[in-house]
């Protein structure tokens, strides 16, 4: 294994962390959008408590992915940011709108009209943004980014991320994020009726993930240049697929039986294995048909300096995030109550 391979692995590790942490925040916005019935207000309250106040910290993983691509694999960063500039800009707008709306909803007036206004922006942006992210991944995995430089605007900047495979990958990503969020919320909810609501949503999302995964496998095998054959033909592919199946089955059975903490662990394992299965299928390519890890790697001195920086940063970052979760996810923190002035007070 080369140093470039190691840093590419760290990049995937950061992306994995973003999917299982930040992805669930987006998925929670999906359930905020579809919340209905007598318990809709309570469901949204659980969602808000589950996301905040640590949700912004989850973006540190996405920032790390971007920084590593920029520093260690600059041709890949340049190619992705140019070819996929339309969906990436739309994603950025979605992230900003989502975060702003969530914050304003928390601190603006508690009146129903104001809450609905900010809630709509938050939930719609939370739904569209993961689809755009998945469409970018679909363009990458389908090999559609290997476009001649002299191709026209549509062929270079629109067609790669608007193919049927890319769109299906977008909805697959949305289903994964919604699945994670619903599973997490079964643990966050303290009341049995709300746990049951989120349990049912998690089961529906799990079925959607399975159906979309099968559809992607079938469709991907029909696309020349796609990484789909690598999902089943490589030496360890079968092992990965078996592990994904075991994790998915465990999560589903645990949900059916109401073993929510077991379901949460299994769901994280399932989604993480899907992420790494994608990486393994296209290894060593970073952009199939365009760049490999070695062809896109920065000079050795840059890689060494970044590796030292990662080691030093991990010493600060990991304990800090652990402390953050410990503080804000504790029972004492969740006991604080919101009042009409949009401030928070300790329970009497």
């Amino acid at each position: 294994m080369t140093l470039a391979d190691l840093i590419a692995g760290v990049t995937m590790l950061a992306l994995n962390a973003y999917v299982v942490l930040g992805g669930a925040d987006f998925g929670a916005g999906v359930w905020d959008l579809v919340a209905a019935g007598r318990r809709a207000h309570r469901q949204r309250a659980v969602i808000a408590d589950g996301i905040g106040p640590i949700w912004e910290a989850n973006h540190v993983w996405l920032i790390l992915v971007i920084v590593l691509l920029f520093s260690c694999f600059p041709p890949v960063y340049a190619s992705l940011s140019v070819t996929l500039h339309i969906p990436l800009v739309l994603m950025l707008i979605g992230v900003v709108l989502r975060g702003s709306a969530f914050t304003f909803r928390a601190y603006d007036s508690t009146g129903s009209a104001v809450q609905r206004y900010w809630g709509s922006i938050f939930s719609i942006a939370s739904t569209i943004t993961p689809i755009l992210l998945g469409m970018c991944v679909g363009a990458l995995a389908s090999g559609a980014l290997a476009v001649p430089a002299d191709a026209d605007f549509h062929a270079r900047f629109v067609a790669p991320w608007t193919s049927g495979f890319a769109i299906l990958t977008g909805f697959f990503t949305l289903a994964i994020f919604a699945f994670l969020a619903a599973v997490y919320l079964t643990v966050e909810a303290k009341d049995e009726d709300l746990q049951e609501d989120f349990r049912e949503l998690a089961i529906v999302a799990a079925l959607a993930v399975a159906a979309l995964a099968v559809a992607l496998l079938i469709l991907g095998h029909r696309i020349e240049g796609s990484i789909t054959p690598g999902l089943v033909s490589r030496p360890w592919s079968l092992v990965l697929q078996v592990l994904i199946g075991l994790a998915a089955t465990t999560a589903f059975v645990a949900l059916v039986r109401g073993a929510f903490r077991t379901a949460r662990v299994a769901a994280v394992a399932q989604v993480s294995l899907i992420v790494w299965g994608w990486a393994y299928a296209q290894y060593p390519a970073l952009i199939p048909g365009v760049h490999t890890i070695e062809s896109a790697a920065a000079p050795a001195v840059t890689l060494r300096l970044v590796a030292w920086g990662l080691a030093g940063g991990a010493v600060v970052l990991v304990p800090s995030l652990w402390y953050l979760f410990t503080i804000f996810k504790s029972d004492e923190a969740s006991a604080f109550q919101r009042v009409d002035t949009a401030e928070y007070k300790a329970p009497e």
Side-chain angles (χ1 to χ4, degrees):
M1 175 182 291
T2 66
L3 184 56
D5 287 329
L6 179 63
I7 293 178
V10 173
T11 306
M12 281 306 301
L13 197 62
L15 184 61
N16 188 168
Y18 183 67
V19 168
V20 298
L21 295 171
D25 290 346
F26 284 103
V30 175
W31 300 128
D32 188 283
L33 178 66
V34 301
R38 292 181 293 108
R39 294 194 287 272
H41 179 73
R42 293 170 59 206
Q43 290 174 0
R44 290 194 174 102
V46 173
I47 289 168
D49 289 343
I51 294 177
I54 61 169
W55 62 282
E56 275 290 9
N58 293 329
H59 287 302
V60 71
W61 302 111
L62 182 60
I63 295 169
L64 181 57
V65 170
I66 294 171
V67 169
L68 288 177
L69 284 179
F70 178 80
S71 305
C72 301
F73 306 101
V76 172
Y77 177 87
S79 180
L80 293 178
S81 59
V82 171
T83 308
L84 296 174
H85 71 278
I86 297 175
L88 291 176
V89 168
L90 293 175
M91 265 185 60
L92 184 60
I93 293 172
V95 169
V96 172
L97 284 177
R98 175 182 179 276
S100 303
F102 182 76
T103 301
F104 286 133
R105 188 175 72 168
Y107 294 102
D108 203 342
S109 167
T110 55
S112 58
V114 174
Q115 290 293 300
R116 276 198 304 273
Y117 175 75
W118 293 121
S120 297
I121 296 175
F122 162 70
S123 55
I124 292 173
S126 296
T127 302
I128 294 175
T129 305
I131 295 176
L132 290 166
L133 173 62
M135 291 169 76
C136 293
V137 174
L140 191 66
S142 64
L145 298 185
V147 182
D150 58 350
D152 61 25
F153 182 87
H154 182 272
R156 287 192 67 191
F157 304 120
V158 178
W161 59 279
T162 55
S163 67
F165 184 86
I167 293 173
L168 199 61
T169 306
F171 282 97
F172 180 61
T173 305
L174 180 66
I176 285 178
F177 288 1
F179 168 63
L180 282 172
V183 172
Y184 293 175
L185 289 169
T186 59
V187 180
E188 295 284 343
K190 305 303 178 190
D191 299 329
E192 289 187 6
D193 54 349
L194 294 179
Q195 285 184 328
E196 181 62 19
D197 289 345
F198 291 122
R199 185 182 77 93
E200 292 175 356
L201 294 174
I203 290 174
V204 170
L207 295 174
V209 168
L212 289 168
V214 172
L216 279 173
L217 277 175
I218 295 172
L219 185 59
H221 275 286
R222 298 176 180 174
I223 300 174
E224 186 178 354
S226 162
I227 67 161
T228 307
L231 294 171
V232 294
S233 62
R234 294 201 157 192
W236 290 95
S237 295
L238 183 60
V239 175
L240 268 172
Q241 297 305 323
V242 169
L243 290 175
I244 292 172
L246 285 174
T249 303
T250 301
F252 192 84
V253 172
L255 283 170
V256 171
R257 294 184 173 180
F260 299 131
R261 292 187 181 278
T262 301
R264 182 171 63 177
V265 173
V268 170
Q270 174 190 351
V271 173
S272 297
L273 287 166
I274 290 173
V275 171
W276 284 96
W278 159 45
Y280 180 61
Q282 75 171 51
Y283 177 82
L286 289 177
I287 300 179
V290 182
H291 290 295
T292 64
I293 293 174
E294 289 304 321
S295 73
V301 63
T302 302
L303 298 180
R304 283 197 296 271
L305 290 172
V306 169
W308 280 110
L310 285 171
V315 173
V316 177
L317 176 64
V318 175
S320 299
L321 287 176
W322 181 264
Y323 188 57
L324 180 73
F325 275 83
T326 302
I327 292 295
F328 289 105
K329 286 299 181 181
S330 65
D331 291 337
E332 292 80 3
S334 63
F336 278 71
Q337 301 171 348
R338 182 175 179 175
V339 295
D340 289 341
T341 57
E343 296 174 345
Y344 286 80
K345 68 176 183 179
E348 296 179 356

